[in-house]
Amino acid sequence: MLKAVRIAAENGATDREIAELLDMSERSLYRLKHTNADLVEALKVGKAVADDRVEQSLYRRATGYSFDTVKVFMPAGCLEPVCIEIVEHVPPDTTAAIFWLKNRRKEDWRDKQELEVSDQFTSASILSKARQRAGMKEKPEK
């Protein structure tokens, strides 16, 4: 059972799908995780493998990559198709690169808003500024 759970998690199965594989409800799987440390470990290891695979794919997408493939042509007048091995290139994806950097180098790439507060915001100061804008005189303090 644990090997099947680990393999399913490695292949990206959700807890709901793993529960179906084990012929139980998702709630039962949740309860079982609280009592079975081996199950928790199998899920953790399997999900880590899937996460690593996605991380590697995102990196490759962000930086671009090349792969070998075969193109099949049917030139005019030929009776048989012609197969040619080529190297195809996938260019870097800007969106993937930004996503990668925002998560890996947060301090340099996050969308940040820095607000500088230069005045105390009290109800008295807000009321005073509102009176000034309205052309009203300040009330003397008691």
PDB file of all heavy atoms in Angstrom, residues 77-97:
ATOM      1  N   GLY A  77       6.448  13.851 -55.212  1.00  0.00           N
ATOM      2  CA  GLY A  77       7.041  12.839 -56.077  1.00  0.00           C
ATOM      3  C   GLY A  77       7.642  11.652 -55.345  1.00  0.00           C
ATOM      4  O   GLY A  77       8.034  10.684 -55.981  1.00  0.00           O
ATOM      5  N   CYS A  78       7.740  11.702 -54.026  1.00  0.00           N
ATOM      6  CA  CYS A  78       8.300  10.573 -53.266  1.00  0.00           C
ATOM      7  C   CYS A  78       7.191   9.599 -52.905  1.00  0.00           C
ATOM      8  O   CYS A  78       6.052   9.984 -52.658  1.00  0.00           O
ATOM      9  CB  CYS A  78       8.981  11.064 -51.998  1.00  0.00           C
ATOM     10  SG  CYS A  78      10.552  11.863 -52.296  1.00  0.00           S
ATOM     11  N   LEU A  79       7.559   8.342 -52.839  1.00  0.00           N
ATOM     12  CA  LEU A  79       6.590   7.322 -52.456  1.00  0.00           C
ATOM     13  C   LEU A  79       6.617   7.053 -50.957  1.00  0.00           C
ATOM     14  O   LEU A  79       5.655   6.529 -50.406  1.00  0.00           O
ATOM     15  CB  LEU A  79       6.867   6.024 -53.226  1.00  0.00           C
ATOM     16  CG  LEU A  79       6.762   6.132 -54.751  1.00  0.00           C
ATOM     17  CD1 LEU A  79       7.192   4.825 -55.401  1.00  0.00           C
ATOM     18  CD2 LEU A  79       5.336   6.487 -55.155  1.00  0.00           C
ATOM     19  N   GLU A  80       7.720   7.392 -50.322  1.00  0.00           N
ATOM     20  CA  GLU A  80       7.897   7.149 -48.894  1.00  0.00           C
ATOM     21  C   GLU A  80       8.152   8.478 -48.178  1.00  0.00           C
ATOM     22  O   GLU A  80       8.777   9.376 -48.741  1.00  0.00           O
ATOM     23  CB  GLU A  80       9.093   6.227 -48.666  1.00  0.00           C
ATOM     24  CG  GLU A  80       9.000   4.896 -49.374  1.00  0.00           C
ATOM     25  CD  GLU A  80       8.674   3.771 -48.428  1.00  0.00           C
ATOM     26  OE1 GLU A  80       8.924   3.921 -47.226  1.00  0.00           O
ATOM     27  OE2 GLU A  80       8.158   2.753 -48.894  1.00  0.00           O
ATOM     28  N   PRO A  81       7.703   8.600 -46.939  1.00  0.00           N
ATOM     29  CA  PRO A  81       8.023   9.826 -46.185  1.00  0.00           C
ATOM     30  C   PRO A  81       9.511   9.878 -45.853  1.00  0.00           C
ATOM     31  O   PRO A  81      10.177   8.850 -45.742  1.00  0.00           O
ATOM     32  CB  PRO A  81       7.177   9.713 -44.917  1.00  0.00           C
ATOM     33  CG  PRO A  81       6.726   8.309 -44.841  1.00  0.00           C
ATOM     34  CD  PRO A  81       6.849   7.695 -46.195  1.00  0.00           C
ATOM     35  N   VAL A  82      10.013  11.099 -45.675  1.00  0.00           N
ATOM     36  CA  VAL A  82      11.411  11.314 -45.324  1.00  0.00           C
ATOM     37  C   VAL A  82      11.461  11.761 -43.870  1.00  0.00           C
ATOM     38  O   VAL A  82      10.755  12.702 -43.477  1.00  0.00           O
ATOM     39  CB  VAL A  82      12.050  12.379 -46.244  1.00  0.00           C
ATOM     40  CG1 VAL A  82      13.479  12.663 -45.824  1.00  0.00           C
ATOM     41  CG2 VAL A  82      11.982  11.940 -47.696  1.00  0.00           C
ATOM     42  N   CYS A  83      12.279  11.106 -43.075  1.00  0.00           N
ATOM     43  CA  CYS A  83      12.430  11.446 -41.662  1.00  0.00           C
ATOM     44  C   CYS A  83      13.800  12.090 -41.466  1.00  0.00           C
ATOM     45  O   CYS A  83      14.815  11.528 -41.875  1.00  0.00           O
ATOM     46  CB  CYS A  83      12.330  10.199 -40.790  1.00  0.00           C
ATOM     47  SG  CYS A  83      10.750   9.358 -40.921  1.00  0.00           S
ATOM     48  N   ILE A  84      13.806  13.261 -40.834  1.00  0.00           N
ATOM     49  CA  ILE A  84      15.054  13.979 -40.595  1.00  0.00           C
ATOM     50  C   ILE A  84      15.148  14.288 -39.109  1.00  0.00           C
ATOM     51  O   ILE A  84      14.228  14.844 -38.514  1.00  0.00           O
ATOM     52  CB  ILE A  84      15.086  15.299 -41.399  1.00  0.00           C
ATOM     53  CG1 ILE A  84      14.989  14.990 -42.893  1.00  0.00           C
ATOM     54  CG2 ILE A  84      16.353  16.087 -41.097  1.00  0.00           C
ATOM     55  CD1 ILE A  84      14.866  16.227 -43.749  1.00  0.00           C
ATOM     56  N   GLU A  85      16.285  13.907 -38.502  1.00  0.00           N
ATOM     57  CA  GLU A  85      16.518  14.235 -37.096  1.00  0.00           C
ATOM     58  C   GLU A  85      16.988  15.677 -37.004  1.00  0.00           C
ATOM     59  O   GLU A  85      17.874  16.099 -37.749  1.00  0.00           O
ATOM     60  CB  GLU A  85      17.575  13.290 -36.502  1.00  0.00           C
ATOM     61  CG  GLU A  85      17.098  11.864 -36.380  1.00  0.00           C
ATOM     62  CD  GLU A  85      18.129  10.949 -35.749  1.00  0.00           C
ATOM     63  OE1 GLU A  85      19.122  11.455 -35.189  1.00  0.00           O
ATOM     64  OE2 GLU A  85      17.929   9.731 -35.818  1.00  0.00           O
ATOM     65  N   ILE A  86      16.357  16.443 -36.099  1.00  0.00           N
ATOM     66  CA  ILE A  86      16.735  17.839 -35.898  1.00  0.00           C
ATOM     67  C   ILE A  86      16.800  18.143 -34.404  1.00  0.00           C
ATOM     68  O   ILE A  86      16.299  17.370 -33.579  1.00  0.00           O
ATOM     69  CB  ILE A  86      15.752  18.825 -36.577  1.00  0.00           C
ATOM     70  CG1 ILE A  86      14.355  18.710 -35.952  1.00  0.00           C
ATOM     71  CG2 ILE A  86      15.692  18.625 -38.065  1.00  0.00           C
ATOM     72  CD1 ILE A  86      13.436  19.843 -36.332  1.00  0.00           C
ATOM     73  N   VAL A  87      17.425  19.271 -34.083  1.00  0.00           N
ATOM     74  CA  VAL A  87      17.442  19.776 -32.718  1.00  0.00           C
ATOM     75  C   VAL A  87      16.514  20.978 -32.701  1.00  0.00           C
ATOM     76  O   VAL A  87      16.728  21.943 -33.432  1.00  0.00           O
ATOM     77  CB  VAL A  87      18.869  20.181 -32.275  1.00  0.00           C
ATOM     78  CG1 VAL A  87      18.836  20.796 -30.889  1.00  0.00           C
ATOM     79  CG2 VAL A  87      19.794  18.979 -32.315  1.00  0.00           C
ATOM     80  N   GLU A  88      15.466  20.887 -31.893  1.00  0.00           N
ATOM     81  CA  GLU A  88      14.501  21.983 -31.799  1.00  0.00           C
ATOM     82  C   GLU A  88      14.799  22.784 -30.528  1.00  0.00           C
ATOM     83  O   GLU A  88      15.173  22.223 -29.504  1.00  0.00           O
ATOM     84  CB  GLU A  88      13.079  21.422 -31.750  1.00  0.00           C
ATOM     85  CG  GLU A  88      12.050  22.419 -32.198  1.00  0.00           C
ATOM     86  CD  GLU A  88      10.723  21.768 -32.556  1.00  0.00           C
ATOM     87  OE1 GLU A  88      10.714  20.692 -33.194  1.00  0.00           O
ATOM     88  OE2 GLU A  88       9.694  22.354 -32.177  1.00  0.00           O
ATOM     89  N   HIS A  89      14.639  24.093 -30.619  1.00  0.00           N
ATOM     90  CA  HIS A  89      14.938  24.962 -29.479  1.00  0.00           C
ATOM     91  C   HIS A  89      13.661  25.635 -28.983  1.00  0.00           C
ATOM     92  O   HIS A  89      12.882  26.154 -29.776  1.00  0.00           O
ATOM     93  CB  HIS A  89      15.957  26.025 -29.875  1.00  0.00           C
ATOM     94  CG  HIS A  89      16.312  26.942 -28.752  1.00  0.00           C
ATOM     95  ND1 HIS A  89      17.040  26.524 -27.654  1.00  0.00           N
ATOM     96  CD2 HIS A  89      16.012  28.235 -28.526  1.00  0.00           C
ATOM     97  CE1 HIS A  89      17.183  27.536 -26.813  1.00  0.00           C
ATOM     98  NE2 HIS A  89      16.563  28.584 -27.320  1.00  0.00           N
ATOM     99  N   VAL A  90      13.459  25.613 -27.672  1.00  0.00           N
ATOM    100  CA  VAL A  90      12.351  26.334 -27.030  1.00  0.00           C
ATOM    101  C   VAL A  90      12.974  27.548 -26.350  1.00  0.00           C
ATOM    102  O   VAL A  90      13.830  27.398 -25.467  1.00  0.00           O
ATOM    103  CB  VAL A  90      11.619  25.450 -25.993  1.00  0.00           C
ATOM    104  CG1 VAL A  90      10.534  26.236 -25.285  1.00  0.00           C
ATOM    105  CG2 VAL A  90      11.055  24.212 -26.667  1.00  0.00           C
ATOM    106  N   PRO A  91      12.598  28.766 -26.764  1.00  0.00           N
ATOM    107  CA  PRO A  91      13.231  29.958 -26.184  1.00  0.00           C
ATOM    108  C   PRO A  91      12.815  30.162 -24.732  1.00  0.00           C
ATOM    109  O   PRO A  91      11.791  29.634 -24.283  1.00  0.00           O
ATOM    110  CB  PRO A  91      12.706  31.098 -27.064  1.00  0.00           C
ATOM    111  CG  PRO A  91      11.424  30.591 -27.627  1.00  0.00           C
ATOM    112  CD  PRO A  91      11.586  29.098 -27.761  1.00  0.00           C
ATOM    113  N   PRO A  92      13.606  30.938 -23.985  1.00  0.00           N
ATOM    114  CA  PRO A  92      13.244  31.229 -22.589  1.00  0.00           C
ATOM    115  C   PRO A  92      11.884  31.917 -22.515  1.00  0.00           C
ATOM    116  O   PRO A  92      11.504  32.685 -23.395  1.00  0.00           O
ATOM    117  CB  PRO A  92      14.356  32.175 -22.119  1.00  0.00           C
ATOM    118  CG  PRO A  92      15.482  31.935 -23.047  1.00  0.00           C
ATOM    119  CD  PRO A  92      14.873  31.548 -24.364  1.00  0.00           C
ATOM    120  N   ASP A  93      11.166  31.637 -21.448  1.00  0.00           N
ATOM    121  CA  ASP A  93       9.845  32.220 -21.215  1.00  0.00           C
ATOM    122  C   ASP A  93       9.975  33.272 -20.114  1.00  0.00           C
ATOM    123  O   ASP A  93      10.327  32.953 -18.981  1.00  0.00           O
ATOM    124  CB  ASP A  93       8.887  31.106 -20.789  1.00  0.00           C
ATOM    125  CG  ASP A  93       7.474  31.589 -20.558  1.00  0.00           C
ATOM    126  OD1 ASP A  93       7.292  32.659 -19.950  1.00  0.00           O
ATOM    127  OD2 ASP A  93       6.542  30.883 -20.972  1.00  0.00           O
ATOM    128  N   THR A  94       9.684  34.519 -20.463  1.00  0.00           N
ATOM    129  CA  THR A  94       9.836  35.629 -19.520  1.00  0.00           C
ATOM    130  C   THR A  94       8.973  35.447 -18.284  1.00  0.00           C
ATOM    131  O   THR A  94       9.425  35.683 -17.160  1.00  0.00           O
ATOM    132  CB  THR A  94       9.482  36.962 -20.210  1.00  0.00           C
ATOM    133  OG1 THR A  94      10.276  37.082 -21.382  1.00  0.00           O
ATOM    134  CG2 THR A  94       9.739  38.135 -19.311  1.00  0.00           C
ATOM    135  N   THR A  95       7.749  35.011 -18.456  1.00  0.00           N
ATOM    136  CA  THR A  95       6.846  34.829 -17.319  1.00  0.00           C
ATOM    137  C   THR A  95       7.387  33.780 -16.354  1.00  0.00           C
ATOM    138  O   THR A  95       7.365  33.972 -15.137  1.00  0.00           O
ATOM    139  CB  THR A  95       5.434  34.439 -17.799  1.00  0.00           C
ATOM    140  OG1 THR A  95       4.972  35.446 -18.706  1.00  0.00           O
ATOM    141  CG2 THR A  95       4.469  34.301 -16.651  1.00  0.00           C
ATOM    142  N   ALA A  96       7.892  32.690 -16.891  1.00  0.00           N
ATOM    143  CA  ALA A  96       8.468  31.645 -16.033  1.00  0.00           C
ATOM    144  C   ALA A  96       9.707  32.163 -15.311  1.00  0.00           C
ATOM    145  O   ALA A  96       9.917  31.867 -14.130  1.00  0.00           O
ATOM    146  CB  ALA A  96       8.819  30.414 -16.872  1.00  0.00           C
ATOM    147  N   ALA A  97      10.511  32.966 -16.009  1.00  0.00           N
ATOM    148  CA  ALA A  97      11.716  33.515 -15.380  1.00  0.00           C
ATOM    149  C   ALA A  97      11.352  34.456 -14.232  1.00  0.00           C
ATOM    150  O   ALA A  97      11.946  34.395 -13.152  1.00  0.00           O
ATOM    151  CB  ALA A  97      12.564  34.251 -16.420  1.00  0.00           C
TER     152      ALA A  97
END
